[in-house]
Amino acid sequence: MDPCIYATDHWGFSFREFKLAHTMMFAIDEINKATDILPGVTLGYMIYNKCGSTDILRAAMTLVNGVEKSQISENCTKPQTVQAIIGHSGSTPTMSFARIVGRFYIPVISHFATCACLSNRKEYPSFFRTIPSDYHQSRALAQLVRHFGWMWVGALSNKNDYGINGITTFITAAHEEGVCIEYTEAFESTGPYNEILRIVNIIKSSTSKVIMAFMSHREIKMLVEELYRQNITGLQWIGSDAWITDDSLADGPGHTLLVGSVGFTVRNAQIPGLGPFLREVHPSQFPNSTFLREFWEYVFDCSLTQSKVKMSCNGSEHLRDVQNSFTDVTDLRISDNIYKAVYAVAHAIDNLLSCEQNKSSTSNACLKLNQIKPWQVLNVLQLVNFTTPSGENFFFDNNGDSPAKYELINLQSVNKGKMKVQTIGYYDASLPKGQRFSMNNVLIVWREESNGVPVSVCSESCPSGTRKAVQKGRPVCCYDCIPCPPGEISNRTDSIACLKCPFAQWSNTRGDACIPKEVEFLSYDEIMGILLALFSLVGVFFTIVTMLIFYTYRSTPIVRANNSELSFLLLFSLTLCFLCSLTFIGRPTEWSCMLRHTAFGITFVLCISCVLGKTIVVIMALKATLPGSNVMKWFGPVQQRLTVLAFTLIQVLICVLWLTVSPPFPFMNLNHYQDKIILECNLGSAVGFWAVLGYIGLLAVICFVLAFLARKLPDNFNEAKLITFSMLIFCAVWISFIPAYVSSPGKFIVAVEIFAILGSSYGLLFCIFLPKCYIILLRPEFNTKKLKTRNAFVKATPTTWNKTLLYKTLSEVYRLKG
């Protein structure tokens, strides 16, 4: 008995299903003529045309119970039951009978049932398919959506196992890719019309412009027709393989809305010889076939029987003279699945007959034709691995699924009732994750009203310098763009968080890059630094001019009476005070930090020591005028120099200890400003700094007290009042310096120090020397020894003083000071 292959499928006069049935017939005919597979064995088949789940189950049970007769030959050896069932095209009908047939271990091989649920080996132990599972297609579609940046999409599906399982897997994969689903709806073509209207209203009111349609050609056709009726356009469709290549869509009025759609389908193939075979189909081959007669009458618009409505067919009709989807062999994606299904069964039976599944077996162990059972075919199908005539390697995995390889196609136009598609990419699930999806360099036709890749996002991309903040109560794809706070950046679009800049860097104004922080110090390049340097040099100039005036008029009484030696030393120290302020300007270095504080401390002590010496000289000179006083011999020129030297050496010793223990050093202050680095001189030892400053203050206070006590002495030959006023300014400047120094930020703290140095130096210079220069240059008549002596005698002679002794003492004072 020859084994027979039976098939059951759903019919409602569809060119596609009619073509699939004849592809199966072609494959069986090709195998029967071949000598390299099943030699001497003729395959037979039976096609059931049943509509509805009840009829499909009845047909399946008929095949399980036994074989009625063969349509190939009356001499066909019939087994007790069929060895395999090919079909159905739909997932839900296949599920309804595959579960039952599986209990009898009869293989069921589907060419178009893609529901991932059918991969469950416990539920469907005998199910195989030559089309990939929707599990892979759904994930491929999610990657496709992510590839084109469609982060906000709608999802529609059939309200059946195929649609619900497919769209659920797609949504899960889309969420993994970061894509958000605005709405999810399911419906059936057999459902009420108001369901279609409800879904159309949802599409109309939604903001997403991309729709994932995981449904059959019947549902998508109904949907686009209603959208076309309501003039809803501008939608980008993503299709599943159930409709994306179906030419029947071109017959509906809404087909123009689908132009530009993209979706995955199984790879196209060529079946040599199928075209001529289909064109040779004729009713005479199967005179009892009802659906062949209906097909013929539909194509040629004639009747094979007597009819009053149509003219009779004259017998000259031939399919070579017409062009339709039945004879078109340019797109054989699903037909190739039928072709491979037939060959898979044939190879399994051939293996059983030739013992190829077990090379160690002897010929006596090989099965005979009438001994083959369906469960044996089922076991061998799991091991089938062959190459199709087109060169494709084919096998089933452990779940009965075929390799998941897809083409990404684009519906580009409708031409003569046929949807023209273009392959624009590929997907191969067997490759590593990052390499599965690839695009061709092919021009893509997008939806109408779109010149480029359509945009479908809930919120626009956040540019660099901002981060995404999810809107409360909405999906993660709906967000606001929040600028990064100062000190943080985002250097890519759609950043979910801002990154902190390194400690020595800060964000730029755009917030998209970290740049080195601005280093702040008082420099010669800025206005404040230039002005302070200018005031310092002006002070040096005035001091030198004063020194030249005093040197020029060094023999005059006013210069001699003001202790010219200490005056010149004071002017020299003031020059150093003005110059040391320049060390505070410019980039701090190790040497400049040590120099600026020590030079400041030493020069100011030298300056105050000179003023203190002048004050003591005035007091001693006036004390010497008292009867019997001989105090001037204890404070002569040598003692004055030693006093100035001693006071200065104490400050030098303090500075040496400071520099030895913990000297000042350049320091980058990162705490005061967030966006700036203050380059300053760290004091090293704060005790050393305040010791230097305190010693200057101590000498200034002593000098101020002594000058204040001597302020009412005769002012024509002493300078107690001038020293008192100068020291008052000096102390006021440095007392106000302390709080200003503590509270000033950054480079302003250096400016405060310079201001204190310049202010006190100018105070000493102008208060002590300006009145004298005024007399020397503008009132020379007051600069005479006689006038000085007389005025001093008239104003300062007490009744108890000896006038002669006072005159001699003043003369001695002039001599000592001159």
Side-chain angles (χ1 to χ4, degrees):
M1 293 176 60
D2 293 337
C4 301
I5 299 176
Y6 297 85
T8 178
D9 215 327
H10 174 82
W11 282 90
F13 197 76
S14 167
F15 275 20
R16 184 180 72 177
E17 299 298 335
F18 189 68
K19 183 176 181 178
L20 294 179
H22 280 79
T23 302
M24 185 191 74
M25 295 161 58
F26 168 78
I28 293 174
D29 185 62
E30 189 177 61
I31 293 171
N32 290 337
K33 293 178 182 178
T35 59
D36 59 338
I37 180 172
L38 294 177
V41 177
T42 301
L43 298 178
Y45 59 88
M46 180 173 288
I47 300 175
Y48 278 81
N49 176 25
K50 298 296 182 181
C51 297
S53 298
T54 303
D55 289 341
I56 292 172
L57 284 173
R58 184 180 296 114
M61 294 309 298
T62 302
L63 294 173
V64 170
N65 291 330
V67 181
E68 297 175 353
K69 63 178 181 177
S70 171
Q71 288 185 246
I72 299 296
S73 172
E74 293 294 333
N75 297 322
C76 177
T77 302
K78 310 178 188 66
Q80 295 180 352
T81 58
V82 296
Q83 271 68 53
I85 299 175
I86 297 178
H88 181 286
S89 295
S91 294
T92 299
T94 302
M95 293 167 61
S96 66
F97 74 85
R99 185 183 285 109
I100 298 174
V101 172
R103 300 296 181 265
F104 298 93
Y105 300 102
I106 298 176
V108 175
I109 308 174
S110 176
H111 55 281
F112 208 36
T114 57
C115 180
C117 56
L118 288 167
S119 298
N120 187 339
R121 257 332 191 211
K122 292 182 179 180
E123 292 289 330
Y124 312 99
S126 67
F127 178 77
F128 295 85
R129 53 183 156 198
T130 53
I131 190 169
S133 166
D134 279 338
Y135 172 82
H136 301 289
Q137 181 184 192
S138 298
R139 303 188 76 82
L141 289 168
Q143 292 187 34
L144 170 69
V145 170
R146 185 66 181 86
H147 174 79
F148 288 115
W150 299 326
M151 310 304 293
W152 187 237
V153 301
L156 301 176
S157 70
N158 285 70
K159 195 180 288 185
N160 58 18
D161 298 286
Y162 165 75
I164 298 300
N165 281 277
I167 205 67
T168 301
T169 305
F170 167 77
I171 292 173
T172 302
H175 286 161
E176 294 175 1
E177 297 288 341
V179 178
C180 295
I181 309 300
E182 184 179 11
Y183 57 86
T184 304
E185 297 294 335
F187 70 99
E188 278 290 336
S189 59
T190 57
Y193 180 66
N194 59 357
E195 275 293 296
I196 297 291
L197 293 178
R198 184 181 65 84
I199 292 176
V200 169
N201 288 332
I202 291 174
I203 295 174
K204 187 190 302 184
S205 60
S206 67
T207 57
S208 59
K209 298 303 179 184
V210 174
I211 301 177
M212 172 65 232
F214 214 100
M215 56 184 65
S216 72
H217 62 284
R218 293 180 295 272
E219 281 75 20
I220 191 67
K221 190 173 183 179
M222 292 178 59
L223 184 60
V224 296
E225 284 179 359
E226 184 60 34
L227 291 171
Y228 180 79
R229 192 176 297 115
Q230 297 191 27
N231 195 28
I232 300 174
T233 60
L235 298 175
Q236 175 64 48
W237 294 91
I238 304 172
S240 62
D241 55 3
W243 68 265
I244 195 68
T245 57
D246 197 307
D247 289 332
S248 66
L249 296 176
D251 299 332
H255 66 269
T256 55
L257 300 182
L258 296 177
V259 173
S261 300
V262 292
F264 286 104
T265 186
V266 292
R267 293 192 175 184
N268 202 358
Q270 298 297 322
I271 304 177
L274 178 61
F277 178 84
L278 295 177
R279 286 191 289 272
E280 293 299 326
V281 169
H282 195 273
S284 61
Q285 297 173 341
F286 304 97
N288 296 325
S289 175
T290 303
F291 46 82
L292 179 54
R293 184 172 60 250
E294 292 178 356
F295 165 74
W296 199 265
E297 292 177 349
Y298 178 83
V299 171
F300 295 104
D301 194 24
C302 65
S303 176
L304 291 172
T305 60
Q306 294 296 328
S307 174
K308 296 180 180 181
V309 179
K310 294 183 180 179
M311 66 177 184
S312 298
C313 300
N314 56 20
S316 62
E317 301 86 3
H318 201 285
L319 291 178
R320 289 193 302 265
D321 302 327
V322 296
Q323 288 185 348
N324 54 39
S325 59
F326 176 77
T327 57
D328 182 18
V329 292
T330 59
D331 188 352
L332 298 177
R333 303 172 194 275
I334 309 304
S335 299
D336 187 55
N337 290 339
I338 286 279
Y339 186 76
K340 288 185 289 189
V342 175
Y343 264 88
V345 176
H347 276 279
I349 296 175
D350 187 58
N351 289 345
L352 286 171
L353 293 176
S354 62
C355 300
E356 288 184 359
Q357 78 280 11
N358 188 353
K359 295 296 183 181
S360 64
S361 300
T362 62
S363 59
N364 294 330
C366 296
L367 294 173
K368 293 182 179 180
L369 191 59
N370 58 359
Q371 294 176 331
I372 296 176
K373 304 298 181 182
W375 64 267
Q376 294 171 321
V377 178
L378 175 65
N379 291 339
V380 177
L381 269 175
Q382 193 74 55
L383 305 175
V384 162
N385 191 325
F386 64 93
T387 302
T388 65
S390 61
E392 178 186 356
N393 179 253
F394 183 83
F395 60 91
F396 294 109
D397 64 15
N398 294 332
N399 294 322
D401 295 328
S402 60
K405 297 180 179 180
Y406 297 101
E407 286 183 358
L408 176 61
I409 62 171
N410 176 218
L411 299 184
Q412 297 197 337
S413 65
V414 178
N415 185 19
K416 297 182 180 179
K418 179 178 174 59
M419 305 291 285
K420 179 185 176 183
V421 301
Q422 177 69 47
T423 300
I424 59 174
Y426 298 95
Y427 183 88
D428 189 345
S430 64
L431 297 176
K433 187 174 181 180
Q435 304 173 14
R436 294 175 183 174
F437 180 59
S438 61
M439 293 290 294
N440 282 347
N441 237 357
V442 177
L443 181 65
I444 302 176
V445 175
W446 295 110
R447 68 182 187 190
E448 57 186 52
E449 306 171 4
S450 179
N451 296 325
V453 180
V455 177
S456 184
V457 293
C458 182
S459 301
E460 294 295 330
S461 294
C462 289
S464 300
T466 63
R467 66 172 179 86
K468 296 195 295 187
V470 178
Q471 297 173 359
K472 188 175 181 180
R474 304 197 68 189
V476 294
C477 296
C478 302
Y479 48 81
D480 297 316
C481 297
I482 307 298
C484 289
E488 298 183 12
I489 65 161
S490 64
N491 53 8
R492 59 186 179 86
T493 58
D494 291 331
S495 177
I496 60 175
C498 297
L499 304 176
K500 286 189 176 181
C501 291
F503 75 96
Q505 295 182 338
W506 196 250
S507 56
N508 58 4
T509 55
R510 296 185 302 275
D512 58 359
C514 290
I515 57 176
K517 288 183 178 180
E518 177 186 352
V519 179
E520 181 181 88
F521 58 89
L522 188 61
S523 68
Y524 290 102
D525 297 331
E526 55 185 304
I527 295 177
M528 184 166 58
I530 295 173
L531 290 176
L532 291 175
L534 181 61
F535 277 113
S536 176
L537 296 176
V538 169
V540 171
F541 173 75
F542 283 151
T543 305
I544 294 175
V545 169
T546 303
M547 194 180 299
L548 291 175
I549 293 174
F550 266 58
Y551 181 78
T552 303
Y553 295 93
R554 62 186 179 278
S555 59
T556 60
I558 195 168
V559 175
R560 292 167 57 87
N562 282 279
N563 199 330
S564 58
E565 184 175 315
L566 288 181
S567 294
F568 283 114
L569 185 58
L570 176 58
L571 289 171
F572 173 72
S573 63
L574 284 174
T575 303
L576 295 180
C577 288
F578 283 117
L579 291 176
C580 80
S581 64
L582 297 178
T583 63
F584 287 81
I585 306 175
R587 189 181 189 90
T589 63
E590 186 176 352
W591 285 103
S592 67
C593 286
M594 291 189 294
L595 179 63
R596 66 171 58 172
H597 289 100
T598 54
F600 151 72
I602 294 172
T603 55
F604 259 78
V605 165
L606 178 61
C607 180
I608 299 301
S609 298
C610 293
V611 176
L612 182 59
K614 291 172 67 68
T615 305
I616 294 174
V617 167
V618 172
I619 294 176
M620 292 299 114
L622 294 175
K623 291 292 184 180
T625 60
L626 297 177
S629 177
N630 195 22
V631 70
M632 282 305 299
K633 70 177 182 177
W634 300 107
F635 204 73
V638 176
Q639 288 82 358
Q640 295 171 24
R641 299 189 192 101
L642 290 177
T643 300
V644 172
L645 180 62
F647 285 143
T648 305
L649 285 177
I650 293 173
Q651 184 73 305
V652 171
L653 179 61
I654 295 174
C655 291
V656 169
L657 289 174
W658 182 14
L659 296 178
T660 302
V661 175
S662 181
F665 59 90
F667 171 70
M668 298 176 69
N669 188 343
L670 303 174
N671 299 323
H672 197 86
Y673 292 115
Q674 291 184 327
D675 57 340
K676 295 180 182 179
I677 296 176
I678 302 174
L679 190 57
E680 59 185 18
C681 286
N682 188 287
L683 297 177
S685 173
V687 175
F689 173 75
W690 291 109
V692 169
L693 208 61
Y695 183 65
I696 295 174
L698 176 64
L699 293 182
V701 169
I702 294 174
C703 185
F704 173 73
V705 171
L706 293 178
F708 180 78
L709 294 177
R711 72 188 187 284
K712 293 186 178 181
L713 295 177
D715 58 3
N716 281 333
F717 59 92
N718 79 81
E719 45 190 344
K721 288 184 179 180
L722 301 180
I723 293 174
T724 301
F725 189 64
S726 65
M727 294 314 299
L728 182 63
I729 295 176
F730 184 91
C731 292
V733 169
W734 284 101
I735 290 173
S736 61
F737 160 78
I738 295 175
Y741 178 85
V742 173
S743 61
S744 296
K747 61 185 177 182
F748 297 103
I749 194 172
V750 180
V752 167
E753 288 185 85
I754 298 175
F755 176 79
I757 293 172
L758 294 179
S760 55
S761 299
Y762 272 110
L764 291 174
L765 177 65
F766 288 155
C767 292
I768 294 177
F769 293 99
L770 186 61
K772 299 178 179 58
C773 291
Y774 172 75
I775 293 174
I776 291 173
L777 298 177
L778 300 179
R779 303 299 295 273
E781 64 272 16
F782 293 108
N783 190 13
T784 60
K785 182 177 179 180
K786 181 178 180 181
L787 180 62
K788 280 289 191 180
T789 304
R790 182 177 63 82
N791 289 340
F793 178 78
V794 171
K795 293 184 179 182
T797 301
T799 55
T800 59
W801 286 10
N802 186 294
K803 296 181 181 180
T804 305
L805 181 60
L806 177 60
Y807 182 80
K808 291 180 179 180
T809 301
L810 292 176
S811 299
E812 181 64 19
V813 170
Y814 297 149
R815 186 184 66 79
L816 292 175
K817 293 184 178 181

